[in-house]
Amino acid sequence: MKLRHLVVRADLPDELQPLRIIAMNMWFTWNPEANRLFQALDPILWEATNHNPVMLLSRLQPDRIREIMEDNALIERVRQIERSFDNYVSNIENYSFNLERPIDYRIAYFSMEYGIAECLPIYSGGLGVLAGDHLKSASNLCFPLIGLGLLYQKGYFRQYLNIDGWQQESYPDNDFYNIPITPVGDGSGGQLSFDIELADVPVKILIWKVQVGRIPLYLLDSSHPSNPEAARRITAELYGGDLEMRIQQEIVLGIGGARALYLLGLWPFVYHLNEGHAAFAAFERIRQTMTIYKTSFEVAMEAVTASTVFTTHTPVPAGIDLFSQELVEKYFRKYMESLGMTVKDLLGLGCASPEDKTSPFSMAVLALRLSRGVNAVSKLHCNVSRKMWRSLWPSIDDDDIPIGYVTNGVHIPSYLSKEMSDLFDRYLGEGWIEEPDNAKVWSRVYNIPHDQLWSVHETRRERLVNFCRRRLMKQMVSGGGSTIDKRRVREYLNPEAITIGFSRRFAPYKRAGLIFSDLERLFRIMSDKRRPVQFIFAGKAHPKDMIGKEIIKKVVHQSRSEGFQRNIVFIEDYDINVARYLVQGCDLWLNTPKRPKEACGTSGMKAAANGVLNLSVLDGWWPEAYDGTNGWSIGGNESYPDSEDEDIVDAEQLYDKLEYEIIPLFFDRAPDGLPHGWIEKMKNSMAKISGYFNSHRMIEQYMEEYYLQAGLAHQILGENKLTRAAELSEWKRKIRSLWKEINVLEVSVPSSDRVSLGQTLQVTASIQLGKLGNEEVVVDLCHGVLGQDGDSEKLLNRNITAMVSEEQISPGVWRYKGNINCEETGVFAYNIRVLPFHPYLFNPLSMNLVAWG
């Protein structure tokens, strides 16, 4: 039986029609007034729809609409929000690049997930929330960004616990017509779509659009009714299914995303791959370039890789997507044949050891080889990544491996409480929200009176407690709890207690159970009635992560045990909304990963903006932020060969910090009832952390260090039908064939190995370049203080000084000179290195060619 469809929704008066437009733009998620307005329309319905304005408007009852129309103050608020929204979307000032020659800097940002709001559940955790924050700040800064992702029918799973505390998963469908997305039209009344082949099966891909302020986010969906059932399931779940499903999703995201941009008539100059999931986008871009310009793969690759940026988020090999060579053969045989190539050519780019037939195909390796701009997401993660991928650059030093870092940041307005936002408006100035990366603005935090800051904080803690009680009651009702249990929920948590939050993905390395290492000591800490302590846990384990599920079960069981009931709770179904309550209402944010397995982490940044203090292992972003006055650290920079020893030492420090420093400081109250020492630490945290660890600073850094160079490379190499890209490709071929001729013949200095402080040491080197010209290399003098362990191969704070070619002393041999300014005492060392140089190379280290003296 075939059914005919119709759409039923509330008939809004003309005065309320602007709300439909505003509801379809994610701007409402970070505009406090818009958020409050939707809530005011129907507070109960607002909560019931999971803060979804589209669904809220569609479900408003006629009686409530009449009440709204009779409320003149509410109608005036609608008009004000309409004006604010119109001003925002119409005020598009081009970002100033300060360039003599204008460049089209459209940037395509690819991500497997986007955490923009709880009403658009196409995210699982930190990676997606970061991507959402990236788009929001790009919108505020008028960056020319375009987002690409997948639209999931079921999104990520909803979490609930059974009676034993074991995580269960449910997968409710997303109602595409009641969330803030719109189908992209094809110009003839239908939805725009395109075909993609997956293992010889044609699959239709639909294109949808989410408007994030000024930024368009295009989402791809395989649920077209003409597709086979298996194909429709490709975009059913985020990170669902087996490895074959994963490679299908990543083909749709990467190859499909690049084709969608082509179909939409968009030609971004820069591609930014947020994690390796989207690496096939660069490959498809190479195919498009080959087709359009009728050029070779090598030339097209030069043009594409120079303008591709790759952000790696994974500090452990186990987190990398790996596919068997057979699976790659199945999905890419015909694709590679269409390029006049073989799957072996693709494997050569994606396998860490291409000559090994058992070497898996790595999406991260493919992204690394197809990107000239590569960054980790914190300073520590940069060091970890260089070691992790050292085998790809065997010829160069660890410090020279071309992986930089841009430490993550958060979109502060999206996570700031309404009360704290109002306080900032008063004391930081109403324009603070436009300059969240301005340190001078954040220094005004010290002007906030202690009593006002503490009053706001206590209000948010009380709201967090009430929120948790409501959620716990709901959990008990759905879990079949007894009437007595439900009554006791009112006694759970204490609005006056120091409230410690731990909410994140329950991966084993994050050690959610570390706090339970010594139950006797924990009980002693928590049993002081004069200084009440409580913990709130939330988070999901991946459905296939049995160890993570065991950790959740352990936390739940501990929360039910004698002595810990009512003071330790686990909140089910962690999402952006739960996170918002926690980062706004906790006193202390606990983070206990095994160092250095946390690439960055951002929840502590959100907490800091709300005045919550961090207690964290020195991992991820925290080593860059912690200064002793703005929170607490667990451990130092130690490394432990034995994992159990690390747990013991870190647990001991955790208890010591809580028992002897943190809890006493929190309850140290002056005659006015205020914990002034704690409040000072809150202010230090807000002033020193929020001004830097925000997504405005983050994407401005991407622009300055990656996007600008990538866009310039795209323009230069693409001119005159890739003439310069072809020139660069041919030059690289020559350099690789002749590099073995380079030899540092002699290095000399005019003095002995003892130099006076303040003296300039002149170093001369004779270098054999063979058939290469001196303009085709760069010669560097690498110098610095030796490590304290006397390692003759390791320099601390290495300095690089360019040497100058003075003359050709014989055929193919050149003399170079350079200076070392000896401005410190100690044992120094130096060496000569030779790197290839070409004006279009942009990064000489990327060729993995170096000759040492």
Side-chain angles (χ1 to χ4, degrees):
M1 178 177 66
K2 187 170 178 64
L3 300 176
R4 299 185 67 179
H5 298 178
L6 70 159
V7 177
V8 179
R9 65 182 186 182
D11 187 15
L12 294 181
D14 291 344
E15 292 85 347
L16 300 183
Q17 286 297 333
L19 294 179
R20 290 200 191 278
I21 299 172
I22 296 170
M24 295 302 294
N25 191 309
M26 304 308 288
W27 172 82
F28 77 85
T29 63
W30 71 85
N31 183 279
E33 296 306 319
N35 219 279
R36 293 176 197 179
L37 174 60
F38 283 122
Q39 183 180 23
L41 296 180
D42 191 322
I44 296 174
L45 191 56
W46 179 243
E47 293 298 322
T49 59
N50 204 24
H51 306 159
N52 180 348
V54 176
M55 190 175 291
L56 171 81
L57 294 175
S58 70
R59 293 185 179 179
L60 280 177
Q61 296 299 309
D63 289 347
R64 177 55 188 153
I65 293 174
R66 281 192 291 271
E67 291 174 0
I68 293 170
M69 292 303 298
E70 292 170 2
D71 187 335
N72 292 333
L74 199 53
I75 295 299
E76 180 54 33
R77 286 175 64 185
V78 173
R79 296 191 187 105
Q80 289 174 358
I81 293 301
E82 181 186 9
R83 288 193 292 271
S84 295
F85 176 74
D86 289 343
N87 287 337
Y88 181 87
V89 295
S90 62
N91 183 19
I92 303 178
E93 298 178 3
N94 290 326
Y95 187 85
S96 174
F97 300 108
N98 298 317
L99 299 172
E100 292 182 7
R101 298 176 61 191
I103 296 177
D104 179 355
Y105 265 105
R106 275 180 294 183
I107 303 147
Y109 183 86
F110 285 74
S111 183
M112 196 77 163
E113 52 175 299
Y114 288 90
I116 302 170
E118 56 269 33
C119 66
L120 187 61
I122 56 171
Y123 64 95
S124 72
L127 179 74
V129 173
L130 174 79
D133 287 0
H134 201 100
L135 299 192
K136 291 173 184 177
S137 278
S139 173
N140 287 348
L141 290 168
C142 295
F143 268 33
L145 203 76
I146 304 161
L148 264 298
L150 300 180
L151 180 60
Y152 303 98
Q153 184 69 53
K154 297 178 183 297
Y156 204 51
F157 70 89
R158 305 296 299 271
Q159 177 199 55
Y160 66 98
L161 306 180
N162 68 14
I163 194 69
D164 193 36
W166 188 259
Q167 174 181 290
Q168 305 288 308
E169 297 90 28
S170 66
Y171 295 87
D173 284 344
N174 286 326
D175 180 359
F176 292 172
Y177 295 94
N178 267 314
I179 55 179
I181 64 170
T182 54
V184 175
D186 62 3
S188 58
Q191 185 172 359
L192 190 62
S193 66
F194 61 93
D195 291 335
I196 192 168
E197 264 201 6
L198 295 171
D200 299 333
V201 177
V203 176
K204 277 201 174 299
I205 304 297
L206 296 163
I207 306 178
W208 302 77
K209 181 181 177 184
V210 177
Q211 195 65 36
V212 186
R214 303 176 177 114
I215 303 298
L217 167 60
Y218 294 100
L219 300 175
L220 308 181
D221 162 31
S222 70
S223 67
H224 194 285
S226 69
N227 286 336
E229 184 180 348
R232 293 200 297 273
R233 287 200 301 268
I234 293 172
T235 57
E237 300 170 17
L238 173 60
Y239 304 136
D242 56 13
L243 279 176
E244 187 153 12
M245 178 70 77
R246 181 65 64 85
I247 198 171
Q248 290 173 342
Q249 287 187 339
E250 295 181 355
I251 290 170
V252 172
L253 173 64
I255 295 177
R259 290 184 183 177
L261 289 171
Y262 176 82
L263 190 61
L264 292 163
L266 301 170
W267 289 96
F269 267 37
V270 178
Y271 269 42
H272 185 170
L273 313 178
N274 188 40
E275 200 37 283
H277 308 126
F280 291 136
F283 207 81
E284 170 64 11
R285 193 179 178 207
I286 291 171
R287 188 198 66 79
Q288 291 176 350
T289 304
M290 292 173 66
T291 302
I292 293 168
Y293 293 102
K294 311 299 181 190
T295 190
S296 69
F297 179 85
E298 290 76 16
V299 171
M301 187 169 73
E302 288 299 339
V304 169
T305 56
S307 56
T308 301
V309 177
F310 168 48
T311 299
T312 173
H313 294 261
T314 309
V316 290
I320 303 296
D321 283 340
L322 301 174
F323 302 116
S324 69
Q325 295 190 14
E326 292 75 20
L327 198 58
V328 176
E329 170 80 32
K330 176 180 177 179
Y331 282 91
F332 280 91
R333 180 181 55 80
K334 287 185 68 175
Y335 183 92
M336 297 304 293
E337 286 175 358
S338 71
L339 301 177
M341 301 170 70
T342 67
V343 172
K344 187 177 180 181
D345 296 315
L346 177 58
L347 293 174
L349 290 168
C351 294
S353 303
E355 66 285 349
D356 182 357
K357 293 183 179 180
T358 64
S359 177
F361 184 88
S362 166
M363 295 299 287
V365 170
L366 181 65
L368 286 164
R369 287 182 171 148
L370 294 183
S371 306
R372 287 292 170 265
V374 180
N375 73 280
V377 289
S378 70
K379 185 176 182 179
L380 179 59
H381 182 225
C382 177
N383 295 332
V384 172
S385 297
R386 286 174 173 175
K387 291 175 183 175
M388 186 173 169
W389 301 113
R390 127 110 358 272
S391 65
L392 300 183
W393 289 276
S395 301
I396 59 180
D397 285 354
D398 286 355
D399 292 340
D400 289 332
I401 290 173
I403 300 177
Y405 72 94
V406 176
T407 303
N408 287 341
V410 298
H411 187 255
I412 290 174
S414 291
Y415 309 102
L416 199 64
S417 73
K418 297 169 184 175
E419 295 83 0
M420 194 66 76
S421 180
D422 291 342
L423 199 62
F424 286 174
D425 285 346
R426 287 203 297 276
Y427 291 98
L428 273 62
E430 291 191 4
W432 76 267
I433 201 167
E434 304 296 330
E435 298 183 277
D437 55 342
N438 187 328
K440 289 184 179 179
V441 169
W442 284 101
S443 67
R444 297 172 195 156
V445 163
Y446 293 105
N447 298 333
I448 302 175
H450 280 203
D451 60 335
Q452 293 187 34
L453 181 58
W454 191 245
S455 175
V456 164
H457 186 65
E458 289 202 301
T459 297
R460 290 311 312 185
R461 190 192 316 117
E462 186 173 357
R463 290 196 178 176
L464 170 61
V465 167
N466 290 333
F467 170 78
C468 288
R469 287 172 177 170
R470 292 195 302 272
R471 291 293 290 253
L472 289 166
M473 176 65 78
K474 185 179 177 182
Q475 289 173 205
M476 285 191 175
V477 169
S478 62
S482 68
T483 304
I484 295 175
D485 288 336
K486 294 170 190 174
R487 283 203 301 267
R488 284 178 180 167
V489 169
R490 301 187 188 96
E491 302 168 9
Y492 278 49
L493 302 178
N494 176 358
E496 303 297 324
I498 179 171
T499 303
I500 302 171
F502 185 101
S503 63
R504 49 188 42 85
R505 186 166 55 91
F506 266 65
Y509 80 85
K510 293 178 183 282
R511 298 191 296 183
L514 190 67
I515 190 66
F516 303 120
S517 300
D518 186 340
L519 291 175
E520 185 177 332
R521 188 171 182 188
L522 180 61
F523 176 76
R524 187 172 73 245
I525 291 171
M526 296 185 68
S527 60
D528 186 345
K529 294 183 180 178
R530 296 177 299 107
R531 303 192 302 189
V533 180
Q534 60 196 16
F535 291 84
I536 301 174
F537 289 85
K540 297 175 177 179
H542 188 277
K544 296 179 182 178
D545 183 1
M546 297 301 116
I547 298 176
K549 290 184 177 184
E550 284 287 355
I551 296 172
I552 291 176
K553 180 180 173 181
K554 178 181 178 180
V555 172
V556 173
H557 280 218
Q558 205 58 61
S559 72
R560 296 170 180 172
S561 63
E562 189 66 31
F564 299 108
Q565 288 178 329
R566 303 183 181 88
N567 296 324
I568 297 178
V569 299
F570 185 92
I571 304 300
E572 294 177 8
D573 203 24
Y574 184 49
D575 66 0
I576 288 177
N577 187 42
V578 174
R580 198 181 291 118
Y581 271 98
L582 284 163
V583 299
Q584 292 173 1
C586 285
D587 298 293
L588 188 70
W589 201 253
L590 181 61
N591 185 38
T592 54
K594 278 187 177 293
R595 191 177 188 276
K597 294 186 177 181
E598 188 71 83
C600 183
T602 57
S603 59
M605 303 173 191
K606 299 161 193 165
N610 284 281
V612 180
L613 296 176
N614 279 272
L615 169 61
S616 175
V617 169
L618 284 171
D619 198 9
W621 71 287
W622 191 231
E624 297 173 55
Y626 173 66
D627 67 3
T629 72
N630 57 0
W632 293 271
S633 68
I634 300 170
N637 299 324
E638 306 90 355
S639 58
Y640 295 86
D642 189 314
S643 183
E644 289 187 9
D645 288 346
E646 183 179 5
D647 290 346
I648 292 169
V649 172
D650 285 352
E652 190 72 19
Q653 276 224 14
L654 169 56
Y655 292 132
D656 285 349
K657 289 288 173 75
L658 287 173
E659 189 170 6
Y660 302 125
E661 295 183 41
I662 295 170
I663 296 171
L665 184 66
F666 182 84
F667 287 103
D668 181 16
R669 305 300 167 97
D672 60 5
L674 298 176
H676 290 284
W678 186 275
I679 296 170
E680 284 295 337
K681 226 171 176 69
M682 287 172 64
K683 288 185 175 182
N684 290 339
S685 173
M686 296 162 92
K688 296 178 181 180
I689 292 175
S690 299
Y692 183 80
F693 294 94
N694 61 76
S695 51
H696 274 47
R697 182 274 313 161
M698 177 184 74
I699 69 165
E700 285 180 325
Q701 190 177 346
Y702 271 116
M703 179 58 78
E704 292 165 7
E705 298 180 14
Y706 291 91
Y707 295 161
L708 281 170
Q709 187 184 64
L712 185 63
H714 183 280
Q715 184 186 58
I716 290 173
L717 296 179
E719 284 182 353
N720 196 18
K721 297 183 178 180
L722 303 181
T723 299
R724 287 175 172 169
E727 177 188 327
L728 179 60
S729 178
E730 184 58 33
W731 176 84
K732 280 187 173 183
R733 188 179 294 110
K734 180 186 80 168
I735 288 290
R736 288 195 174 98
S737 68
L738 298 176
W739 192 255
K740 60 183 179 293
E741 297 182 10
I742 293 182
N743 188 18
V744 180
L745 300 175
E746 181 185 5
V747 179
S748 61
V749 294
S751 58
S752 68
D753 61 356
R754 294 182 181 273
V755 183
S756 299
L757 181 66
Q759 184 178 345
T760 297
L761 181 69
Q762 187 178 80
V763 180
T764 303
S766 299
I767 301 177
Q768 177 181 297
L769 299 181
K771 296 177 183 176
L772 295 180
N774 65 331
E775 76 282 357
E776 294 180 290
V777 299
V778 59
V779 179
D780 292 326
L781 187 55
C782 304
H783 56 95
V785 180
L786 277 180
Q788 292 181 357
D789 58 0
D791 183 352
S792 61
E793 302 302 319
K794 185 66 176 176
L795 297 177
L796 297 179
N797 301 319
R798 185 186 65 173
N799 297 300
I800 305 292
T801 302
M803 300 185 76
V804 179
S805 62
E806 289 207 323
E807 59 179 335
Q808 187 173 9
I809 55 180
S810 65
V813 179
W814 291 78
R815 178 181 291 121
Y816 284 78
K817 284 188 178 181
N819 295 326
I820 299 176
N821 296 322
C822 303
E823 299 174 345
E824 296 180 57
T825 58
V827 180
F828 282 70
Y830 63 91
N831 204 345
I832 308 293
R833 76 173 183 188
V834 185
L835 297 172
F837 175 81
H838 190 283
Y840 309 148
L841 184 59
F842 299 105
N843 187 347
L845 292 164
S846 65
M847 287 190 68
N848 195 27
L849 295 175
V850 62
W852 286 99

